[in-house]
């Protein structure tokens, strides 16, 4: 049943015992009813802005590091978490999920600072801002919030909201200068499942940084954990310094089920039904 409203209707009528992926606003209302158990858990999925630093989509302002850094300073990620994602979501600063092996956290961070964003744009040669297409395929309210923040510093981002398959094809061809993406790492708790996926000169690499490629190749093939950590650290620090991505936030998931059921969610987004039981 893909429609959340239909799921909720069946839950209320007794036709369903368990649903998940419930939007935060709906989960809050259901919790207030007191008829069902509402459980929230963090997931390994993160949201991020993918920026075309390499200029695969043409000559545009985002190829300049100061413009990318300005974009990072322009968005109030904590406000988006507090007002839209809620639950156990957190702001992330590195191009990976914090618990993943090798996910260096001591990287350059970009606090919400619209005045600094404007100054960086001016230094980059865009004192009056610029216009750019902003691609997204999910979570439209999150995307629209980011458009609003960008507009405040002079970046007119034109939302191009597409089906995932259409946007994926455009990205593979290098046709997007800025897009809002998410990645769940297949629930693999290792930086190779995300950082190496997007920064090793593949179809989804919009940085094309040779140093990052070398570091990630070394990290992915080493058997010594210390060597792996060192190389992931170097790669992630440069990704942050150059603002190749703007990491945004981690996702969470809301699970709603009848009070007769026993269930404890896990951070990997896998619902293990064999661990669900009925209260005696």
């Amino acid at each position: 049943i893909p429609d959340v409203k239909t799921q909720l209707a069946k839950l209320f009528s007794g036709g369903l015992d368990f649903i998940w992926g419930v939007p935060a606003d709906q989960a809050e209302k259901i919790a207030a009813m007191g008829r069902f158990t509402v459980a929230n858990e963090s997931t390994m999925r993160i949201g991020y802005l993918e920026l075309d630093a390499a200029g695969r989509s043409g000559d545009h302002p985002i190829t300049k590091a100061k413009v990318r850094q300005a974009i990072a300073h322009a968005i109030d990620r904590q406000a988006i978490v507090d007002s839209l994602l809620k639950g156990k979501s957190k702001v992330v600063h590195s191009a990976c999920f914090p618990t993943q092996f090798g996910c260096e956290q001591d990287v350059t961070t970009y606090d919400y600072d619209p005045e600094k964003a404007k100054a960086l744009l001016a230094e980059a040669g865009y004192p009056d801002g610029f216009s750019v297409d902003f691609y997204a395929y999910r979570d439209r309210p999150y995307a629209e919030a980011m458009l609003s923040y960008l507009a405040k510093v002079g970046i007119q981002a034109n939302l191009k909201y597409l089906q995932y398959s259409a946007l994926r094809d455009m990205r593979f061809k290098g046709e997007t200068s800025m897009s809002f993406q998410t990645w769940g790492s297949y629930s693999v708790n290792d930086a190779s499942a995300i950082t190496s996926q997007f920064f090793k000169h593949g179809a989804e690499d919009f940085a094309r940084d040779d140093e990052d490629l070398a570091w990630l190749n070394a990290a992915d093939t080493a058997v010594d954990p210390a060597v792996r950590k060192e190389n992931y650290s170097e790669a992630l620090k440069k990704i942050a310094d150059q603002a190749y991505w703007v990491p945004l936030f981690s996702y969470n998931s809301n699970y709603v089920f009848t009070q007769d059921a026993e269930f404890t969610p896990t951070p990997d987004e896998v619902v293990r039904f064999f661990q669900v039981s009925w209260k005696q």
Side-chain angles (χ1 to χ4, degrees):
I1 305 174
D3 180 63
V4 174
K5 291 182 179 179
T6 305
Q7 292 179 19
L8 292 171
K10 288 186 173 292
L11 180 76
F12 296 153
S13 67
L16 290 176
D17 299 301
F18 184 105
I19 60 176
W20 74 98
V22 179
D25 57 340
Q26 296 285 354
E28 289 177 340
K29 292 176 182 177
I30 296 169
M33 294 169 60
R35 291 176 52 196
F36 303 94
T37 300
V38 178
N40 178 272
E41 183 55 80
S42 172
T43 74
M44 289 180 63
R45 182 170 299 279
I46 68 167
Y48 59 94
L49 290 186
E50 181 178 75
L51 304 178
D52 183 18
R56 292 176 62 191
S57 60
D59 184 19
H60 50 72
I62 292 175
T63 58
K64 297 185 177 182
K66 288 186 177 180
V67 170
R68 299 192 299 273
Q69 292 161 355
I71 291 170
H73 279 300
I75 298 171
D76 192 343
R77 294 169 290 171
Q78 188 62 58
I80 294 175
V81 168
D82 291 343
S83 62
L84 296 175
L85 284 93
K86 303 183 181 181
K88 293 187 177 181
S89 288
K90 295 181 179 180
V91 171
V92 295
H93 300 286
S94 198
C96 46
F97 185 75
T99 68
Q100 288 177 311
F101 179 88
C103 186
E104 177 64 71
Q105 297 299 294
D106 184 17
V107 299
T108 300
T109 60
Y110 299 89
D111 294 335
Y112 175 55
D113 191 338
E115 294 307 314
K116 189 168 186 177
K118 291 177 183 177
L120 284 166
L121 287 175
E123 291 174 25
Y126 303 96
D128 299 320
F130 60 91
S131 179
V132 65
D133 288 336
F134 182 108
Y135 292 87
Y137 71 96
R138 61 177 288 170
D139 304 317
R140 187 170 186 135
Y142 306 173
E144 290 177 343
M146 286 184 268
L147 300 186
S148 177
Y149 285 121
L150 292 171
K152 290 177 181 178
V153 301
I155 300 174
Q156 297 303 128
N158 309 308
L159 181 60
K160 305 291 184 181
Y161 197 77
L162 306 178
Q163 292 291 326
Y164 173 74
S165 58
L167 180 51
R168 178 196 60 204
D169 291 346
M170 289 187 68
R171 291 174 56 245
F172 281 10
K173 295 175 183 176
E175 297 175 349
T176 57
S177 53
M178 179 192 295
S179 65
F180 169 36
Q181 299 292 319
T182 77
W183 189 252
S185 297
Y186 304 107
S187 297
V188 175
N189 207 26
D190 191 280
S192 62
I194 179 168
T195 314
S196 299
Q197 175 78 21
F198 297 99
F199 291 96
K200 289 179 64 173
H201 291 25
E204 297 174 284
D205 184 355
F206 284 81
R208 302 298 170 112
D209 187 301
D210 290 336
E211 281 191 318
D212 277 333
L213 175 64
W215 285 320
L216 293 172
N217 277 334
D220 290 346
T221 56
V223 294
D224 184 337
V227 173
R228 297 191 71 222
K229 281 187 176 181
E230 179 182 357
N231 282 279
Y232 283 133
S233 175
E234 293 292 344
L236 287 161
K237 285 181 177 179
K238 185 168 187 182
I239 290 167
D241 286 343
Q242 294 296 312
Y244 289 145
W245 272 13
V246 178
L248 297 168
F249 36 68
S250 62
Y251 276 73
N252 68 77
S253 186
N254 289 301
Y255 304 81
V256 180
F257 44 95
T258 63
Q259 294 181 338
D260 293 329
E262 296 263 15
F263 172 70
T264 301
T266 54
D268 59 10
E269 294 186 85
V270 177
V271 179
R272 295 171 175 83
F273 286 104
F274 62 87
Q275 293 180 338
V276 181
S277 63
W278 298 107
K279 294 179 180 177
Q280 300 298 318

